[in-house]
PDB file of all heavy atoms in Angstrom:
ATOM      1  N   HIS X  63      18.251  27.504   9.606  1.00 98.00           N
ATOM      2  CA  HIS X  63      17.204  28.371   9.083  1.00 98.00           C
ATOM      3  C   HIS X  63      16.857  29.454  10.097  1.00 98.00           C
ATOM      4  O   HIS X  63      16.830  29.196  11.300  1.00 98.00           O
ATOM      5  CB  HIS X  63      15.950  27.528   8.780  1.00 98.00           C
ATOM      6  CG  HIS X  63      14.810  28.307   8.214  1.00 98.00           C
ATOM      7  ND1 HIS X  63      14.749  28.653   6.887  1.00 98.00           N
ATOM      8  CD2 HIS X  63      13.701  28.812   8.789  1.00 98.00           C
ATOM      9  CE1 HIS X  63      13.636  29.338   6.676  1.00 98.00           C
ATOM     10  NE2 HIS X  63      12.988  29.451   7.817  1.00 98.00           N
ATOM     11  N   SER X  64      16.630  30.645   9.587  1.00 97.00           N
ATOM     12  CA  SER X  64      16.165  31.715  10.479  1.00 97.00           C
ATOM     13  C   SER X  64      15.028  32.520   9.861  1.00 97.00           C
ATOM     14  O   SER X  64      14.394  33.314  10.532  1.00 97.00           O
ATOM     15  CB  SER X  64      17.329  32.673  10.793  1.00 97.00           C
ATOM     16  OG  SER X  64      17.701  33.386   9.629  1.00 97.00           O
ATOM     17  N   SER X  65      14.802  32.325   8.545  1.00 97.00           N
ATOM     18  CA  SER X  65      13.862  33.071   7.699  1.00 97.00           C
ATOM     19  C   SER X  65      14.535  34.328   7.181  1.00 97.00           C
ATOM     20  O   SER X  65      15.585  34.770   7.680  1.00 97.00           O
ATOM     21  CB  SER X  65      12.568  33.430   8.425  1.00 97.00           C
ATOM     22  OG  SER X  65      12.697  34.661   9.124  1.00 97.00           O
ATOM     23  N   ASN X  66      13.913  34.934   6.195  1.00 98.00           N
ATOM     24  CA  ASN X  66      14.447  36.146   5.589  1.00 98.00           C
ATOM     25  C   ASN X  66      14.030  37.419   6.328  1.00 98.00           C
ATOM     26  O   ASN X  66      14.146  38.523   5.777  1.00 98.00           O
ATOM     27  CB  ASN X  66      14.029  36.209   4.112  1.00 98.00           C
ATOM     28  CG  ASN X  66      14.843  35.251   3.256  1.00 98.00           C
ATOM     29  OD1 ASN X  66      16.035  35.434   3.062  1.00 98.00           O
ATOM     30  ND2 ASN X  66      14.196  34.206   2.761  1.00 98.00           N
ATOM     31  N   LEU X  67      13.590  37.253   7.559  1.00 98.00           N
ATOM     32  CA  LEU X  67      13.343  38.419   8.418  1.00 98.00           C
ATOM     33  C   LEU X  67      14.652  38.988   8.955  1.00 98.00           C
ATOM     34  O   LEU X  67      14.664  40.094   9.512  1.00 98.00           O
ATOM     35  CB  LEU X  67      12.432  38.030   9.589  1.00 98.00           C
ATOM     36  CG  LEU X  67      11.007  37.619   9.218  1.00 98.00           C
ATOM     37  CD1 LEU X  67      10.262  37.136  10.460  1.00 98.00           C
ATOM     38  CD2 LEU X  67      10.256  38.768   8.564  1.00 98.00           C
ATOM     39  N   TYR X  68      15.729  38.225   8.767  1.00 98.00           N
ATOM     40  CA  TYR X  68      17.037  38.643   9.278  1.00 98.00           C
ATOM     41  C   TYR X  68      18.091  38.418   8.195  1.00 98.00           C
ATOM     42  O   TYR X  68      17.870  37.681   7.239  1.00 98.00           O
ATOM     43  CB  TYR X  68      17.403  37.847  10.538  1.00 98.00           C
ATOM     44  CG  TYR X  68      16.252  37.683  11.487  1.00 98.00           C
ATOM     45  CD1 TYR X  68      15.504  36.502  11.498  1.00 98.00           C
ATOM     46  CD2 TYR X  68      15.872  38.714  12.348  1.00 98.00           C
ATOM     47  CE1 TYR X  68      14.415  36.352  12.344  1.00 98.00           C
ATOM     48  CE2 TYR X  68      14.789  38.577  13.192  1.00 98.00           C
ATOM     49  CZ  TYR X  68      14.058  37.398  13.190  1.00 98.00           C
ATOM     50  OH  TYR X  68      12.984  37.265  14.018  1.00 98.00           O
ATOM     51  N   ILE X  70      21.144  36.848   6.311  1.00 98.00           N
ATOM     52  CA  ILE X  70      21.708  35.501   6.211  1.00 98.00           C
ATOM     53  C   ILE X  70      23.033  35.651   5.485  1.00 98.00           C
ATOM     54  O   ILE X  70      23.081  35.855   4.265  1.00 98.00           O
ATOM     55  CB  ILE X  70      20.752  34.555   5.447  1.00 98.00           C
ATOM     56  CG1 ILE X  70      19.401  34.472   6.176  1.00 98.00           C
ATOM     57  CG2 ILE X  70      21.373  33.169   5.293  1.00 98.00           C
ATOM     58  CD1 ILE X  70      18.325  33.725   5.403  1.00 98.00           C
ATOM     59  N   GLN X  73      23.924  33.663   2.361  1.00 98.00           N
ATOM     60  CA  GLN X  73      23.091  34.116   1.241  1.00 98.00           C
ATOM     61  C   GLN X  73      23.702  35.341   0.565  1.00 98.00           C
ATOM     62  O   GLN X  73      23.775  35.434  -0.664  1.00 98.00           O
ATOM     63  CB  GLN X  73      21.678  34.442   1.732  1.00 98.00           C
ATOM     64  CG  GLN X  73      20.709  34.881   0.655  1.00 98.00           C
ATOM     65  CD  GLN X  73      19.355  35.268   1.204  1.00 98.00           C
ATOM     66  OE1 GLN X  73      18.912  36.391   1.008  1.00 98.00           O
ATOM     67  NE2 GLN X  73      18.679  34.347   1.896  1.00 98.00           N
ATOM     68  N   PHE X  91      17.594  36.940  -6.086  1.00 98.00           N
ATOM     69  CA  PHE X  91      16.558  36.451  -5.176  1.00 98.00           C
ATOM     70  C   PHE X  91      16.680  34.938  -5.123  1.00 98.00           C
ATOM     71  O   PHE X  91      16.632  34.266  -6.154  1.00 98.00           O
ATOM     72  CB  PHE X  91      15.157  36.838  -5.660  1.00 98.00           C
ATOM     73  CG  PHE X  91      14.044  36.110  -4.941  1.00 98.00           C
ATOM     74  CD1 PHE X  91      13.658  36.494  -3.669  1.00 98.00           C
ATOM     75  CD2 PHE X  91      13.403  35.023  -5.536  1.00 98.00           C
ATOM     76  CE1 PHE X  91      12.649  35.815  -2.994  1.00 98.00           C
ATOM     77  CE2 PHE X  91      12.393  34.339  -4.863  1.00 98.00           C
ATOM     78  CZ  PHE X  91      12.014  34.746  -3.594  1.00 98.00           C
ATOM     79  N   PHE X  92      16.854  34.387  -3.924  1.00 98.00           N
ATOM     80  CA  PHE X  92      16.976  32.934  -3.770  1.00 98.00           C
ATOM     81  C   PHE X  92      15.633  32.314  -3.400  1.00 98.00           C
ATOM     82  O   PHE X  92      14.884  32.846  -2.574  1.00 98.00           O
ATOM     83  CB  PHE X  92      18.006  32.593  -2.688  1.00 98.00           C
ATOM     84  CG  PHE X  92      19.430  32.819  -3.109  1.00 98.00           C
ATOM     85  CD1 PHE X  92      20.146  33.906  -2.633  1.00 98.00           C
ATOM     86  CD2 PHE X  92      20.057  31.946  -3.992  1.00 98.00           C
ATOM     87  CE1 PHE X  92      21.459  34.124  -3.014  1.00 98.00           C
ATOM     88  CE2 PHE X  92      21.374  32.151  -4.389  1.00 98.00           C
ATOM     89  CZ  PHE X  92      22.078  33.242  -3.896  1.00 98.00           C
ATOM     90  N   CYS X  93      15.378  31.163  -4.035  1.00 98.00           N
ATOM     91  CA  CYS X  93      14.151  30.415  -3.751  1.00 98.00           C
ATOM     92  C   CYS X  93      14.519  28.938  -3.671  1.00 98.00           C
ATOM     93  O   CYS X  93      15.644  28.606  -3.287  1.00 98.00           O
ATOM     94  CB  CYS X  93      13.092  30.703  -4.816  1.00 98.00           C
ATOM     95  SG  CYS X  93      13.711  30.596  -6.509  1.00 98.00           S
ATOM     96  N   ASN X  94      13.606  28.045  -4.016  1.00 98.00           N
ATOM     97  CA  ASN X  94      13.824  26.621  -3.764  1.00 98.00           C
ATOM     98  C   ASN X  94      13.833  25.738  -5.011  1.00 98.00           C
ATOM     99  O   ASN X  94      14.076  24.542  -4.902  1.00 98.00           O
ATOM    100  CB  ASN X  94      12.736  26.096  -2.814  1.00 98.00           C
ATOM    101  CG  ASN X  94      12.604  26.959  -1.583  1.00 98.00           C
ATOM    102  OD1 ASN X  94      13.447  26.923  -0.704  1.00 98.00           O
ATOM    103  ND2 ASN X  94      11.551  27.754  -1.526  1.00 98.00           N
ATOM    104  N   SER X  95      13.565  26.308  -6.183  1.00 98.00           N
ATOM    105  CA  SER X  95      13.462  25.477  -7.384  1.00 98.00           C
ATOM    106  C   SER X  95      13.540  26.346  -8.628  1.00 98.00           C
ATOM    107  O   SER X  95      13.427  27.584  -8.562  1.00 98.00           O
ATOM    108  CB  SER X  95      12.131  24.713  -7.393  1.00 98.00           C
ATOM    109  OG  SER X  95      11.043  25.624  -7.553  1.00 98.00           O
ATOM    110  N   GLU X  98      10.180  28.169  -9.231  1.00 98.00           N
ATOM    111  CA  GLU X  98      10.058  29.360  -8.386  1.00 98.00           C
ATOM    112  C   GLU X  98      10.927  30.496  -8.905  1.00 98.00           C
ATOM    113  O   GLU X  98      10.541  31.671  -8.847  1.00 98.00           O
ATOM    114  CB  GLU X  98      10.447  29.027  -6.947  1.00 98.00           C
ATOM    115  CG  GLU X  98       9.436  28.174  -6.213  1.00 98.00           C
ATOM    116  CD  GLU X  98       9.864  27.925  -4.774  1.00 98.00           C
ATOM    117  OE1 GLU X  98      10.270  28.881  -4.096  1.00 98.00           O
ATOM    118  OE2 GLU X  98       9.801  26.764  -4.343  1.00 98.00           O
ATOM    119  N   ALA X 249      18.051  21.610  -2.374  1.00 98.00           N
ATOM    120  CA  ALA X 249      17.059  22.378  -3.124  1.00 98.00           C
ATOM    121  C   ALA X 249      17.360  23.870  -3.082  1.00 98.00           C
ATOM    122  O   ALA X 249      17.507  24.456  -2.006  1.00 98.00           O
ATOM    123  CB  ALA X 249      15.668  22.115  -2.557  1.00 98.00           C
ATOM    124  N   ILE X 250      17.441  24.481  -4.284  1.00 98.00           N
ATOM    125  CA  ILE X 250      17.721  25.912  -4.370  1.00 98.00           C
ATOM    126  C   ILE X 250      17.322  26.408  -5.757  1.00 98.00           C
ATOM    127  O   ILE X 250      17.308  25.655  -6.726  1.00 98.00           O
ATOM    128  CB  ILE X 250      19.217  26.206  -4.124  1.00 98.00           C
ATOM    129  CG1 ILE X 250      19.453  27.707  -3.891  1.00 98.00           C
ATOM    130  CG2 ILE X 250      20.076  25.663  -5.241  1.00 98.00           C
ATOM    131  CD1 ILE X 250      20.877  28.037  -3.436  1.00 98.00           C
ATOM    132  N   GLY X 251      16.971  27.667  -5.830  1.00 98.00           N
ATOM    133  CA  GLY X 251      16.741  28.341  -7.098  1.00 98.00           C
ATOM    134  C   GLY X 251      17.220  29.762  -6.951  1.00 98.00           C
ATOM    135  O   GLY X 251      17.342  30.284  -5.833  1.00 98.00           O
ATOM    136  N   GLY X 266       8.626  36.929  -1.990  1.00 97.00           N
ATOM    137  CA  GLY X 266       9.313  36.364  -0.842  1.00 97.00           C
ATOM    138  C   GLY X 266       9.299  34.854  -0.854  1.00 97.00           C
ATOM    139  O   GLY X 266       8.691  34.222  -1.709  1.00 97.00           O
ATOM    140  N   SER X 267      10.000  34.277   0.116  1.00 98.00           N
ATOM    141  CA  SER X 267      10.058  32.827   0.275  1.00 98.00           C
ATOM    142  C   SER X 267      10.470  32.511   1.708  1.00 98.00           C
ATOM    143  O   SER X 267      11.451  33.070   2.205  1.00 98.00           O
ATOM    144  CB  SER X 267      11.071  32.217  -0.696  1.00 98.00           C
ATOM    145  OG  SER X 267      11.290  30.844  -0.409  1.00 98.00           O
ATOM    146  N   THR X 268       9.744  31.634   2.352  1.00 98.00           N
ATOM    147  CA  THR X 268      10.097  31.255   3.720  1.00 98.00           C
ATOM    148  C   THR X 268      11.430  30.521   3.754  1.00 98.00           C
ATOM    149  O   THR X 268      12.330  30.847   4.525  1.00 98.00           O
ATOM    150  CB  THR X 268       9.005  30.366   4.338  1.00 98.00           C
ATOM    151  OG1 THR X 268       7.788  31.110   4.404  1.00 98.00           O
ATOM    152  CG2 THR X 268       9.402  29.929   5.741  1.00 98.00           C
ATOM    153  N   PHE X 269      11.576  29.507   2.912  1.00 98.00           N
ATOM    154  CA  PHE X 269      12.778  28.676   2.933  1.00 98.00           C
ATOM    155  C   PHE X 269      13.886  29.219   2.037  1.00 98.00           C
ATOM    156  O   PHE X 269      15.059  28.881   2.221  1.00 98.00           O
ATOM    157  CB  PHE X 269      12.438  27.252   2.470  1.00 98.00           C
ATOM    158  CG  PHE X 269      11.608  26.482   3.449  1.00 98.00           C
ATOM    159  CD1 PHE X 269      10.248  26.319   3.246  1.00 98.00           C
ATOM    160  CD2 PHE X 269      12.184  25.899   4.570  1.00 98.00           C
ATOM    161  CE1 PHE X 269       9.476  25.598   4.136  1.00 98.00           C
ATOM    162  CE2 PHE X 269      11.421  25.177   5.465  1.00 98.00           C
ATOM    163  CZ  PHE X 269      10.062  25.030   5.256  1.00 98.00           C
ATOM    164  N   GLY X 270      13.539  30.010   1.034  1.00 98.00           N
ATOM    165  CA  GLY X 270      14.488  30.410   0.010  1.00 98.00           C
ATOM    166  C   GLY X 270      15.736  31.090   0.553  1.00 98.00           C
ATOM    167  O   GLY X 270      15.658  32.040   1.325  1.00 98.00           O
ATOM    168  N   GLY X 271      16.891  30.592   0.134  1.00 98.00           N
ATOM    169  CA  GLY X 271      18.157  31.217   0.515  1.00 98.00           C
ATOM    170  C   GLY X 271      18.567  30.983   1.948  1.00 98.00           C
ATOM    171  O   GLY X 271      19.331  31.779   2.507  1.00 98.00           O
ATOM    172  N   ASN X 272      18.094  29.893   2.558  1.00 98.00           N
ATOM    173  CA  ASN X 272      18.449  29.679   3.962  1.00 98.00           C
ATOM    174  C   ASN X 272      19.926  29.288   4.107  1.00 98.00           C
ATOM    175  O   ASN X 272      20.653  29.129   3.134  1.00 98.00           O
ATOM    176  CB  ASN X 272      17.508  28.669   4.639  1.00 98.00           C
ATOM    177  CG  ASN X 272      17.675  27.246   4.149  1.00 98.00           C
ATOM    178  OD1 ASN X 272      18.687  26.871   3.559  1.00 98.00           O
ATOM    179  ND2 ASN X 272      16.662  26.431   4.393  1.00 98.00           N
ATOM    180  N   PHE X 273      20.368  29.159   5.333  1.00 98.00           N
ATOM    181  CA  PHE X 273      21.785  28.915   5.617  1.00 98.00           C
ATOM    182  C   PHE X 273      22.301  27.652   4.922  1.00 98.00           C
ATOM    183  O   PHE X 273      23.383  27.657   4.330  1.00 98.00           O
ATOM    184  CB  PHE X 273      22.005  28.788   7.128  1.00 98.00           C
ATOM    185  CG  PHE X 273      21.862  30.081   7.878  1.00 98.00           C
ATOM    186  CD1 PHE X 273      20.638  30.458   8.414  1.00 98.00           C
ATOM    187  CD2 PHE X 273      22.957  30.931   8.063  1.00 98.00           C
ATOM    188  CE1 PHE X 273      20.508  31.650   9.114  1.00 98.00           C
ATOM    189  CE2 PHE X 273      22.827  32.121   8.756  1.00 98.00           C
ATOM    190  CZ  PHE X 273      21.604  32.490   9.283  1.00 98.00           C
ATOM    191  N   LEU X 274      21.534  26.577   5.019  1.00 98.00           N
ATOM    192  CA  LEU X 274      21.994  25.308   4.465  1.00 98.00           C
ATOM    193  C   LEU X 274      22.170  25.391   2.955  1.00 98.00           C
ATOM    194  O   LEU X 274      23.211  25.003   2.412  1.00 98.00           O
ATOM    195  CB  LEU X 274      21.006  24.185   4.806  1.00 98.00           C
ATOM    196  CG  LEU X 274      21.396  22.801   4.285  1.00 98.00           C
ATOM    197  CD1 LEU X 274      22.643  22.295   4.973  1.00 98.00           C
ATOM    198  CD2 LEU X 274      20.245  21.818   4.460  1.00 98.00           C
ATOM    199  N   ALA X 275      21.159  25.895   2.259  1.00 98.00           N
ATOM    200  CA  ALA X 275      21.188  25.928   0.797  1.00 98.00           C
ATOM    201  C   ALA X 275      22.291  26.839   0.268  1.00 98.00           C
ATOM    202  O   ALA X 275      23.033  26.471  -0.652  1.00 98.00           O
ATOM    203  CB  ALA X 275      19.826  26.361   0.259  1.00 98.00           C
ATOM    204  N   THR X 276      22.404  28.034   0.835  1.00 98.00           N
ATOM    205  CA  THR X 276      23.358  28.989   0.263  1.00 98.00           C
ATOM    206  C   THR X 276      24.800  28.695   0.674  1.00 98.00           C
ATOM    207  O   THR X 276      25.727  28.940  -0.107  1.00 98.00           O
ATOM    208  CB  THR X 276      22.976  30.430   0.630  1.00 98.00           C
ATOM    209  OG1 THR X 276      22.774  30.546   2.051  1.00 98.00           O
ATOM    210  CG2 THR X 276      21.703  30.847  -0.076  1.00 98.00           C
TER     211      THR X 276
END
Side-chain angles (χ1 to χ4, degrees):
H63 181 80
S64 68
S65 87
N66 284 292
L67 294 175
Y68 317 99
I70 300 172
Q73 182 183 122
F91 167 78
F92 286 105
C93 47
N94 309 286
S95 68
E98 288 182 46
I250 193 171
S267 171
T268 298
F269 290 102
N272 70 19
F273 289 92
L274 181 66
T276 51

